Short mmCIF file of all heavy atoms in Angstrom, two decimals:
data_model
loop_
_atom_site.label_atom_id
_atom_site.label_comp_id
_atom_site.label_asym_id
_atom_site.label_seq_id
_atom_site.Cartn_x
_atom_site.Cartn_y
_atom_site.Cartn_z
N VAL A 89 -35.80 15.86 34.56
CA VAL A 89 -36.22 17.08 33.88
C VAL A 89 -35.62 18.28 34.63
O VAL A 89 -35.89 18.47 35.82
CB VAL A 89 -37.76 17.19 33.83
CG1 VAL A 89 -38.19 18.48 33.15
CG2 VAL A 89 -38.36 15.97 33.13
N ALA A 95 -44.54 21.55 31.96
CA ALA A 95 -45.62 20.97 31.16
C ALA A 95 -45.16 19.75 30.36
O ALA A 95 -45.51 19.58 29.20
CB ALA A 95 -46.24 22.03 30.25
N VAL A 96 -44.39 18.89 31.00
CA VAL A 96 -43.83 17.71 30.35
C VAL A 96 -44.89 16.62 30.17
O VAL A 96 -45.64 16.31 31.10
CB VAL A 96 -42.63 17.16 31.16
CG1 VAL A 96 -42.20 15.79 30.68
CG2 VAL A 96 -41.47 18.14 31.10
N LYS A 97 -44.93 16.07 28.95
CA LYS A 97 -45.84 14.95 28.63
C LYS A 97 -45.03 13.89 27.88
O LYS A 97 -44.59 14.12 26.76
CB LYS A 97 -46.99 15.42 27.74
CG LYS A 97 -47.97 16.31 28.44
CD LYS A 97 -49.14 16.62 27.51
CE LYS A 97 -50.16 17.48 28.22
NZ LYS A 97 -51.33 17.70 27.37
N PRO A 98 -44.84 12.71 28.50
CA PRO A 98 -44.09 11.65 27.81
C PRO A 98 -44.93 10.96 26.74
O PRO A 98 -46.15 10.88 26.85
CB PRO A 98 -43.73 10.69 28.94
CG PRO A 98 -44.72 10.95 30.01
CD PRO A 98 -45.18 12.36 29.87
N LYS A 107 -43.73 5.94 33.92
CA LYS A 107 -44.00 6.47 35.26
C LYS A 107 -43.41 7.87 35.28
O LYS A 107 -42.31 8.08 34.77
CB LYS A 107 -43.34 5.59 36.32
CG LYS A 107 -43.49 6.13 37.73
CD LYS A 107 -42.73 5.23 38.71
CE LYS A 107 -42.37 6.04 39.92
NZ LYS A 107 -41.29 5.47 40.69
N THR A 108 -44.14 8.81 35.86
CA THR A 108 -43.59 10.15 36.04
C THR A 108 -43.46 10.42 37.53
O THR A 108 -44.27 9.97 38.33
CB THR A 108 -44.47 11.23 35.38
OG1 THR A 108 -45.78 11.18 35.92
CG2 THR A 108 -44.53 11.04 33.86
N VAL A 109 -42.42 11.15 37.86
CA VAL A 109 -42.22 11.60 39.23
C VAL A 109 -42.50 13.11 39.21
O VAL A 109 -41.85 13.85 38.46
CB VAL A 109 -40.78 11.31 39.71
CG1 VAL A 109 -40.57 11.87 41.11
CG2 VAL A 109 -40.50 9.82 39.66
N LYS A 110 -43.46 13.52 40.00
CA LYS A 110 -43.82 14.94 40.04
C LYS A 110 -43.26 15.60 41.28
O LYS A 110 -43.04 14.96 42.30
CB LYS A 110 -45.34 15.09 39.98
CG LYS A 110 -45.91 14.59 38.67
CD LYS A 110 -47.39 14.79 38.57
CE LYS A 110 -47.87 14.30 37.20
NZ LYS A 110 -49.29 14.51 37.03
N GLY A 111 -43.02 16.90 41.17
CA GLY A 111 -42.50 17.67 42.29
C GLY A 111 -42.63 19.15 42.02
O GLY A 111 -43.09 19.57 40.95
N LYS A 112 -42.22 19.94 43.00
CA LYS A 112 -42.29 21.40 42.87
C LYS A 112 -41.27 21.90 41.86
O LYS A 112 -40.16 21.39 41.77
CB LYS A 112 -42.03 22.06 44.22
CG LYS A 112 -43.18 21.95 45.19
CD LYS A 112 -43.25 23.23 45.98
CE LYS A 112 -44.55 23.33 46.71
NZ LYS A 112 -45.50 24.18 46.07
N TYR A 113 -41.67 22.94 41.11
CA TYR A 113 -40.74 23.64 40.23
C TYR A 113 -39.88 24.57 41.08
O TYR A 113 -40.21 24.87 42.23
CB TYR A 113 -41.50 24.46 39.19
CG TYR A 113 -42.22 23.63 38.14
CD1 TYR A 113 -43.50 23.98 37.73
CD2 TYR A 113 -41.63 22.52 37.54
CE1 TYR A 113 -44.17 23.25 36.75
CE2 TYR A 113 -42.29 21.79 36.57
CZ TYR A 113 -43.56 22.16 36.18
OH TYR A 113 -44.21 21.43 35.22
N GLU A 125 -47.05 25.44 39.68
CA GLU A 125 -46.05 25.42 40.73
C GLU A 125 -45.34 24.08 40.83
O GLU A 125 -44.30 23.97 41.48
CB GLU A 125 -46.69 25.78 42.07
CG GLU A 125 -47.23 27.21 42.09
CD GLU A 125 -47.85 27.59 43.42
OE1 GLU A 125 -47.85 26.76 44.35
OE2 GLU A 125 -48.33 28.73 43.52
N ALA A 126 -45.91 23.06 40.20
CA ALA A 126 -45.33 21.72 40.24
C ALA A 126 -45.66 21.00 38.94
O ALA A 126 -46.56 21.39 38.20
CB ALA A 126 -45.89 20.94 41.43
N GLY A 127 -44.89 19.95 38.69
CA GLY A 127 -45.12 19.16 37.49
C GLY A 127 -44.14 18.02 37.41
O GLY A 127 -43.48 17.66 38.40
N VAL A 128 -44.01 17.43 36.24
CA VAL A 128 -43.13 16.28 36.03
C VAL A 128 -41.67 16.70 36.18
O VAL A 128 -41.21 17.62 35.52
CB VAL A 128 -43.39 15.65 34.64
CG1 VAL A 128 -42.39 14.52 34.37
CG2 VAL A 128 -44.82 15.15 34.54
N ARG A 129 -40.95 16.00 37.05
CA ARG A 129 -39.53 16.26 37.29
C ARG A 129 -38.65 15.11 36.78
O ARG A 129 -37.45 15.24 36.65
CB ARG A 129 -39.24 16.48 38.79
CG ARG A 129 -40.02 17.62 39.44
CD ARG A 129 -39.93 18.94 38.69
NE ARG A 129 -38.60 19.32 38.33
CZ ARG A 129 -37.91 20.34 38.79
NH1 ARG A 129 -38.47 21.15 39.64
NH2 ARG A 129 -36.71 20.60 38.38
N GLU A 130 -39.29 13.94 36.53
CA GLU A 130 -38.57 12.78 36.01
C GLU A 130 -39.54 11.93 35.21
O GLU A 130 -40.70 11.79 35.57
CB GLU A 130 -37.99 11.96 37.16
CG GLU A 130 -37.16 10.77 36.72
CD GLU A 130 -36.55 10.02 37.89
OE1 GLU A 130 -35.77 10.65 38.65
OE2 GLU A 130 -36.87 8.83 38.05
N VAL A 131 -39.04 11.37 34.10
CA VAL A 131 -39.81 10.44 33.28
C VAL A 131 -39.06 9.12 33.26
O VAL A 131 -37.87 9.09 32.96
CB VAL A 131 -40.02 10.96 31.84
CG1 VAL A 131 -40.81 9.96 31.01
CG2 VAL A 131 -40.70 12.33 31.84
N ASP A 132 -39.78 8.03 33.60
CA ASP A 132 -39.18 6.69 33.64
C ASP A 132 -39.93 5.77 32.68
O ASP A 132 -41.15 5.61 32.79
CB ASP A 132 -39.27 6.09 35.04
CG ASP A 132 -38.59 6.92 36.11
OD1 ASP A 132 -37.80 7.82 35.76
OD2 ASP A 132 -38.85 6.68 37.30
#
Side-chain angles (χ1 to χ4, degrees):
V89 179
V96 169
K97 290 185 178 184
K107 176 183 155 200
T108 58
V109 176
K110 295 183 178 182
K112 286 217 166 259
Y113 290 138
E125 296 181 1
V128 175
R129 302 309 312 247
E130 183 177 300
V131 179
D132 301 345

